[in-house]
Amino acid sequence: MSDKKCAYCHLNILSMGFQRKYLKFLLLKKGCINIFKNSLFFVLLILTCFNLSGCSKEIDHHHNEEEKTVPLKKQTIDPIQNQIETMSLDEKIGQMVLVGFDGTMYNNHIKEMIEKYHIGGFILFQRNIQNSEQTLSLINAIKASNSKNNKLPLFISVDEEGGRVSRMPKEMKKLPTNEKIGEVNNKNFSFTIGKVIGLQLKSFGFNMNFAPVLDINSNPKNPIIGDRSFGSNEKIVHTLGIETIKGLQCQNIISVVKHFPGHGDTAIDSHLGLPTVDHDLDRLKSFELVPFVNAIKNNVNAIMVAHILFPKIDANNPATFSKRIITDILRNNLAFDGVIITDDMEMGAISKNYPIGQAAVKSIQAGSDIVLVCHAYENQLAVLNALKNAILNNEISEEIINDHVYRILKLKKKYNLTDASIQTINIEHINSEVYNTLNEYLN
């Protein structure tokens, strides 16, 4: 090995803290002496050794700093998901059921549904409403009870379509039927009707309305839809329906359109029996589904599914618990990512043909998010218990339940729902708005 190579082969050792001893050894080493005869080279070598030693430490220091300061990959925090993770199974199931009750005052039925079953919401009917003062007091009492017992606000819902399907107190001025609005066929009129209905509902503390009807009244023998529809023309129905949706939404009222995939061509009232419609999917897409497709494109947030059997699409299950209709068509084909709600499970179409608990389970399995049970306490318990047992028996996974609850909580958050009470209601102002609207478009 040459003298020069011998010197360089020891530089690494010099950088490890043995500079003095090793330099002395190096100077005495016979094979390396000649290198250091040149004093300038010697000085440069010494300086280089010390610099390398310092550089080695500096490199190690920077390397350690880099290891310490490498930023962690940011994780997006989803507050809804976090909230679901803190919920009990009973709380999750409760969010997926919406119930009615008897009476005009806060009672034990309401109390138990809130405190024990953590119910997601209530629906009020004419049987619950006497006058404006009583209605306001009842809704405030329900909300106050829920705010003390649950972290999530309630859906306070109603069927307020105008015309013959109205739940408002008698002192409130009535609105025309959808059929009448369809005859006028004015988008501004339809929007204003939705806005006025929204004002009425918001004034009492309602936050969800099962309206408008998007069924096309194509069957003159239809015993249930009739003047609840905007008409027999699909374009008029979807155009005016969308405006009513927007009017409701501008008052922060959730519009639940109905009755998917279309109740307009039935000859049986689903309150009494199970209607059958013999249309295939191509026919539905070209006609019955048109208003719903356009409503989805215009950001409707919730859809009610009807109790109707479509044998050419699903020969075994009515739409209410048909996976083909709810998941394949509505959720996947039409890309609806909002909340899906059943029609009342106590209607004759279901109650006369299926055990209500079993029907509720099948509906959730098919893709519904919320089961509506409008009347009997025992039926509501049957649904709640059936859903819980189905989860415990692995008929429905809790992961699927979490997906349903996520959509429900997302909707409540979107509309910023609260259980805050409302102190007063100005009936004269609301009636004046209704009067001005009707006077502008009907006179």
Side-chain angles (χ1 to χ4, degrees):
M1 180 181 292
S2 70
D3 293 335
K4 188 173 182 179
K5 286 183 178 179
C6 180
Y8 277 108
C9 76
H10 297 289
L11 290 181
N12 286 336
I13 299 175
L14 291 171
S15 68
M16 296 173 65
F18 302 103
Q19 292 92 339
R20 289 184 179 180
K21 292 182 180 180
Y22 194 70
L23 279 171
K24 184 177 180 181
F25 167 77
L26 185 61
L27 290 170
L28 295 174
K29 187 171 173 63
K30 184 177 179 180
C32 297
I33 291 287
N34 292 333
I35 299 174
F36 299 107
K37 288 181 180 180
N38 186 316
S39 60
L40 179 60
F41 184 82
F42 176 73
V43 172
L44 289 173
L45 178 62
I46 295 287
L47 291 173
T48 302
C49 290
F50 279 99
N51 285 338
L52 283 173
S53 176
C55 183
S56 174
K57 291 178 182 178
E58 186 174 346
I59 290 171
D60 287 343
H61 172 73
H62 283 302
H63 180 69
N64 292 335
E65 284 297 315
E66 286 178 3
E67 288 182 343
K68 292 178 183 177
T69 60
V70 171
L72 296 174
K73 186 178 180 180
K74 290 185 178 180
Q75 295 181 348
T76 303
I77 298 174
D78 187 335
I80 298 176
Q81 188 61 48
N82 286 349
Q83 190 169 21
I84 291 173
E85 290 173 1
T86 68
M87 294 171 67
S88 69
L89 180 58
D90 287 336
E91 287 173 326
K92 293 176 184 178
I93 293 169
Q95 287 300 306
M96 296 168 61
V97 181
L98 200 154
V99 302
F101 57 90
D102 289 329
T104 58
M105 299 177 64
Y106 182 85
N107 56 38
N108 288 332
H109 180 180
I110 301 169
K111 184 176 187 290
E112 186 169 346
M113 284 293 152
I114 289 173
E115 295 183 4
K116 185 175 181 179
Y117 296 102
H118 314 286
I119 213 72
F122 292 91
I123 180 169
L124 276 66
F125 289 90
Q126 200 65 60
R127 66 178 186 266
N128 307 121
I129 295 172
Q130 287 180 326
N131 55 59
S132 298
E133 184 178 345
Q134 166 271 328
T135 303
L136 184 62
S137 177
L138 172 60
I139 293 174
N140 280 342
I142 292 172
K143 288 183 173 182
S145 176
N146 189 69
S147 66
K148 292 177 183 177
N149 292 280
N150 296 304
K151 296 178 181 179
L152 294 168
L154 293 165
F155 289 127
I156 304 293
S157 66
V158 68
D159 290 299
E160 185 57 39
E161 302 173 10
R164 59 187 164 105
V165 180
S166 174
R167 318 300 188 198
M168 291 296 96
K170 293 180 179 179
E171 58 265 37
M172 304 285 280
K173 188 170 180 60
K174 299 304 178 186
L175 291 161
T177 65
N178 282 342
E179 182 180 58
K180 185 64 178 177
I181 297 168
E183 290 172 359
V184 175
N185 194 18
N186 182 303
K187 291 171 64 175
N188 292 332
F189 183 30
S190 188
F191 173 83
T192 307
I193 287 291
K195 184 177 178 181
V196 169
I197 292 175
L199 175 62
Q200 290 178 331
L201 300 182
K202 183 173 68 173
S203 298
F204 287 103
F206 290 101
N207 51 41
M208 175 180 277
N209 189 19
F210 292 104
V213 169
L214 292 186
D215 303 310
I216 305 166
N217 191 36
S218 58
N219 186 346
K221 296 180 180 179
N222 192 321
I224 188 60
I225 299 302
D227 62 4
R228 297 168 66 193
S229 169
F230 291 104
S232 59
N233 180 288
E234 71 273 22
K235 184 176 180 180
I236 289 176
V237 172
H238 84 69
T239 300
L240 299 183
I242 287 168
E243 293 305 316
T244 300
I245 293 166
K246 291 178 179 178
L248 288 165
Q249 290 175 341
C250 83
Q251 294 290 338
N252 209 47
I253 299 295
I254 300 166
S255 169
V256 185
V257 297
K258 56 190 183 185
H259 306 80
F260 186 87
H263 211 313
D265 197 17
T266 58
I268 295 176
D269 182 350
S270 54
H271 291 86
L272 306 175
L274 179 61
T276 298
V277 175
D278 199 33
H279 297 322
D280 61 16
L281 185 55
D282 288 339
R283 152 67 190 232
L284 292 183
K285 285 183 176 180
S286 67
F287 193 68
E288 279 84 1
L289 292 182
V290 171
F292 295 99
V293 169
N294 282 278
I296 292 168
K297 290 178 180 178
N298 283 272
N299 303 313
V300 72
N301 302 122
I303 294 177
M304 175 182 279
V305 180
H307 304 315
I308 304 172
L309 186 68
F310 293 85
K312 290 184 178 178
I313 299 172
D314 186 337
N316 300 314
N317 302 297
T320 323
F321 39 87
S322 169
K323 189 172 184 178
R324 171 76 175 126
I325 291 174
I326 295 175
T327 296
D328 294 347
I329 297 175
L330 179 53
R331 189 70 79 193
N332 296 335
N333 190 268
L334 302 186
F336 178 63
D337 62 355
V339 171
I340 298 174
I341 306 178
T342 73
D343 208 340
D344 180 17
M345 284 294 198
E346 292 176 288
M347 291 165 61
I350 301 300
S351 63
K352 291 181 179 179
N353 297 286
Y354 310 93
I356 192 167
Q358 177 188 345
V361 169
K362 286 172 70 67
S363 186
I364 296 300
Q365 289 173 327
S368 297
D369 298 306
I370 295 177
V371 176
L372 184 60
V373 193
C374 294
H375 301 279
Y377 172 77
E378 59 270 20
N379 286 333
Q380 294 162 9
L381 293 187
V383 166
L384 289 161
N385 291 330
L387 291 176
K388 186 170 185 177
N389 289 334
I391 298 165
L392 296 177
N393 294 331
N394 295 318
E395 296 174 42
I396 305 174
S397 71
E398 192 160 358
E399 183 180 0
I400 295 297
I401 294 299
N402 290 345
D403 289 341
H404 294 306
V405 175
Y406 189 98
R407 279 189 285 269
I408 295 165
L409 268 56
K410 183 180 178 182
L411 181 58
K412 289 185 174 184
K413 181 179 177 64
K414 179 176 182 177
Y415 280 79
N416 195 29
L417 301 192
T418 73
D419 286 324
S421 62
I422 296 173
Q423 299 305 315
T424 60
I425 181 169
N426 189 335
I427 299 296
E428 290 184 4
H429 169 69
I430 298 170
N431 282 342
S432 175
E433 291 294 318
V434 175
Y435 176 82
N436 291 338
T437 298
L438 300 184
N439 188 55
E440 180 177 356
Y441 293 101
L442 293 182
N443 294 332

